[in-house]
Amino acid sequence: MDQIISFIYEQFKWPNIILTIVGIITFYNFIYLIIGFIIKPKKFPETNNYKKYGILIAARNEELVIGQLIDSILNQDYPKDKIEIFVVADNCSDNTYKLAKSKGVKVYERNNLSKQRKGYALDFLLQNINKDYGIKSFDGYIVFDADNLLDKDFVKEINKAFVINKNAVRGYLNTKNFDTNFITSAYSIHFYRSVVAQHRPRQFLKLGTHINGTGILIGSHLLKDGWKYHSLTEDTELTAHLTSKHIKVEICEQAIFFDEQPDKFKFVFRQRVRWEKGRMLVFFKYFFKMFGSIFRYFSFTSYDLLVSLIPWGLFSFIRYILVPIIIGVIFGSLGSLDFWHTFFMSFITLYIGLYFYDVFLATLVVIKERKNIHTSLFQKIKGIITYPWFNIISMYIAFYALIHPKVKWKSITHTDIRTIEDVDDIKQKTKT
């Protein structure tokens, strides 16, 4: 028995050493959190240089929401002749095409069931724009999902940043359905946390940040060959590509847009598995390019974003779930009830620790971003208390994504029909 115990100790020794190394190489994230919580968002200077933008919208069966997005774009406080809206009705079986067409925007129909990802739809859209207008006829392209809504100053504000950055800028992703249920509030806090703990401190330190799939502005010179990012997570692939070329993505927090968060577990599971699988594939595809750019450009941005692509959820599952279970089975077969007691107690302790850690971070984030969270204090507190499940399940989702051989992109049904005027009314009510 002593030999077995010694063997088990050795198996835990190396994971603990690895865990210590992980702590060292990711310690800067703690510094990020402090910076993000202390500093204020960067404001870009006013400009009279109004760039011309093509707005790209990939929509699949989005007749319930796409009209509200188009209206919010048409009502932008920006020169009307500097904005052109393009929609790709991608494998639609509803009235998305007709509705978008009725708004007076340019709509292209795409029917290709063998390639059903957003990246393919955007590539098709850019090919048609290049044929009919020329890619360089616009200074840049802003990508939205059909369920988005734009603050009336979105284009004006992101233009200020693009005049300076010239390459790639992302807006501030807010949410229009925080208070639908504990699922939407968790998603919302997740994205607010990204601003506080990642985007804002990176910008303060003059580093590049990552792209989320919507609300992004890409210079036309970067898209002269079309949209070549067709992976499960085209936004992550685009980030990796730009970072490996030493092109920094910047955030403009004054460019606010609203997103509809999933409100059902089947959508959560489907989306999160795709995220995890897509990030794993991008990590392996771009590892050497990003690793090389660390030294080629002496780039901490490359180091930071490469580290962020490491499948940490999978590591956590192996360290905290898989290894203890295997060891538990070994000891259980020997009739060691004491070990099983210790095993289950360690599980409970782990989850309690994770819960309170995430509640603490969620509290900091909600306090910092409270002016952007347009709901009641009660809903904010409820969101904080229920938030930890969102991160805890990451371990299990990462493992499932690893072993699942054929993760596919599937559309998520959007049903929140609020307009930007409805969102503005909620903002006013929650201020008073």
Side-chain angles (χ1 to χ4, degrees):
M1 178 64 72
D2 290 341
Q3 291 179 337
I4 294 177
I5 293 175
S6 176
F7 170 77
I8 299 302
Y9 172 78
E10 288 299 319
Q11 306 318 302
F12 269 104
K13 179 180 177 181
W14 284 108
N16 285 330
I17 292 174
I18 295 173
L19 195 64
T20 301
I21 295 173
V22 168
I24 294 172
I25 67 175
T26 62
F27 178 75
Y28 67 90
N29 285 297
F30 177 70
I31 307 300
Y32 277 5
L33 184 62
I34 295 174
I35 293 173
F37 187 72
I38 293 174
I39 66 171
K40 294 181 179 180
K42 177 180 177 180
K43 291 186 177 182
F44 294 88
E46 297 292 334
T47 180
N48 292 321
N49 184 0
Y50 297 110
K51 302 287 188 179
K52 187 175 182 180
Y53 300 113
I55 309 293
L56 309 182
I57 305 169
R60 180 170 185 179
N61 294 334
E62 299 283 15
E63 64 179 359
L64 288 178
V65 295
I66 194 170
Q68 294 89 306
L69 167 61
I70 293 173
D71 287 342
S72 72
I73 298 172
L74 294 175
N75 291 326
Q76 286 294 292
D77 183 14
Y78 197 78
K80 305 303 180 185
D81 62 337
K82 298 291 186 180
I83 296 177
E84 191 77 36
I85 304 172
F86 300 96
V87 175
V88 52
D90 185 36
N91 294 300
C92 291
S93 58
D94 68 352
N95 292 318
T96 296
Y97 177 88
K98 291 181 179 179
L99 198 152
K101 197 76 174 176
S102 71
K103 295 289 184 179
V105 305
K106 187 67 175 178
V107 188
Y108 297 94
E109 280 191 291
R110 177 179 181 268
N111 293 287
N112 188 335
L113 293 176
S114 64
K115 296 180 178 180
Q116 298 191 59
R117 296 174 187 168
K118 181 179 174 182
Y120 292 119
L122 290 174
D123 196 10
F124 172 85
L125 187 53
L126 281 173
Q127 287 177 28
N128 280 276
I129 292 172
N130 188 43
K131 180 177 63 177
D132 295 343
Y133 299 84
I135 290 292
K136 290 294 189 70
S137 62
F138 298 92
D139 296 297
Y141 294 89
I142 309 176
V143 181
F144 291 109
D145 289 339
D147 59 296
N148 295 156
L149 295 172
L150 276 61
D151 182 89
K152 66 180 180 65
D153 293 326
F154 179 92
V155 178
K156 180 172 67 175
E157 293 295 339
I158 206 167
N159 177 68
K160 294 178 186 177
F162 186 69
V163 166
I164 297 173
N165 177 282
K166 297 182 176 60
N167 290 310
V169 184
R170 54 159 296 151
Y172 184 104
L173 192 160
N174 208 328
T175 182
K176 60 182 178 181
N177 61 334
F178 183 102
D179 54 4
T180 298
N181 57 31
F182 71 97
I183 298 175
T184 60
S185 64
Y187 263 94
S188 303
I189 292 175
H190 166 76
F191 287 115
Y192 294 130
R193 178 176 172 176
S194 293
V195 173
V196 175
Q198 296 174 328
H199 304 305
R200 191 176 296 156
R202 285 170 179 162
Q203 185 174 58
F204 176 78
L205 296 171
K206 301 186 184 306
L207 303 172
T209 194
H210 66 272
I211 292 170
N212 289 116
T214 184
I216 58 173
L217 167 55
I218 309 295
S220 58
H221 61 286
L222 299 176
L223 296 173
K224 62 182 184 297
D225 297 322
W227 188 279
K228 302 305 180 185
Y229 317 103
H230 303 146
S231 67
L232 288 168
T233 47
E234 78 290 332
D235 50 351
T236 303
E237 185 177 5
L238 175 56
T239 299
H241 173 76
L242 295 177
T243 302
S244 67
K245 299 293 185 181
H246 198 49
I247 298 172
K248 294 181 180 179
V249 179
E250 190 153 17
I251 186 171
C252 177
E253 295 193 43
Q254 285 70 44
I256 300 171
F257 70 103
F258 298 86
D259 194 30
E260 180 184 343
Q261 306 306 334
D263 61 355
K264 293 180 175 61
F265 265 117
K266 65 178 181 179
F267 295 145
V268 173
F269 184 77
R270 183 189 303 170
Q271 185 181 67
R272 296 283 299 278
V273 169
R274 178 176 63 82
W275 283 359
E276 289 291 342
K277 189 74 169 186
R279 287 167 60 85
M280 288 180 191
L281 295 175
V282 170
F283 173 75
F284 290 111
K285 180 179 179 179
Y286 282 88
F287 175 83
F288 290 106
K289 290 181 179 179
M290 293 185 69
F291 185 78
S293 70
I294 295 173
F295 303 97
R296 185 179 304 116
Y297 304 110
F298 300 101
S299 172
F300 189 80
T301 294
S302 295
Y303 171 82
D304 177 16
L305 294 177
L306 180 59
V307 167
S308 72
L309 283 177
I310 295 173
W312 297 114
L314 182 60
F315 172 80
S316 297
F317 180 85
I318 294 171
R319 171 65 182 87
Y320 296 112
I321 309 298
L322 190 60
V323 171
I325 286 176
I326 293 173
I327 294 173
V329 169
I330 294 173
F331 268 77
S333 64
L334 297 174
S336 179
L337 296 179
D338 287 341
F339 181 83
W340 279 114
H341 174 75
T342 304
F343 174 72
F344 285 118
M345 288 303 296
S346 66
F347 257 156
I348 293 171
T349 302
L350 169 65
Y351 285 117
I352 290 175
L354 290 174
Y355 176 83
F356 283 105
Y357 175 75
D358 282 329
V359 165
F360 172 71
L361 287 184
T363 301
L364 291 181
V365 168
V366 170
I367 290 173
K368 182 65 175 178
E369 301 303 292
R370 61 190 181 278
K371 292 182 179 179
N372 290 318
I373 306 175
H374 309 302
T375 189
S376 66
L377 178 61
F378 173 75
Q379 292 293 340
K380 292 175 184 176
I381 293 173
K382 188 167 71 172
I384 290 171
I385 293 172
T386 57
Y387 169 69
W389 72 268
F390 188 88
N391 287 326
I392 289 174
I393 68 170
S394 297
M395 294 186 289
Y396 303 95
I397 286 178
F399 180 72
Y400 180 84
L402 176 69
I403 63 175
H404 196 294
K406 295 181 180 179
V407 176
K408 296 182 179 179
W409 177 90
K410 293 183 180 180
S411 61
I412 293 176
T413 303
H414 296 117
T415 58
D416 193 310
I417 60 174
R418 274 177 276 198
T419 65
I420 191 61
E421 289 77 20
D422 294 330
V423 173
D424 288 339
D425 287 343
I426 294 172
K427 287 164 61 176
Q428 292 302 318
K429 289 177 181 177
T430 54
K431 282 182 181 179
T432 58

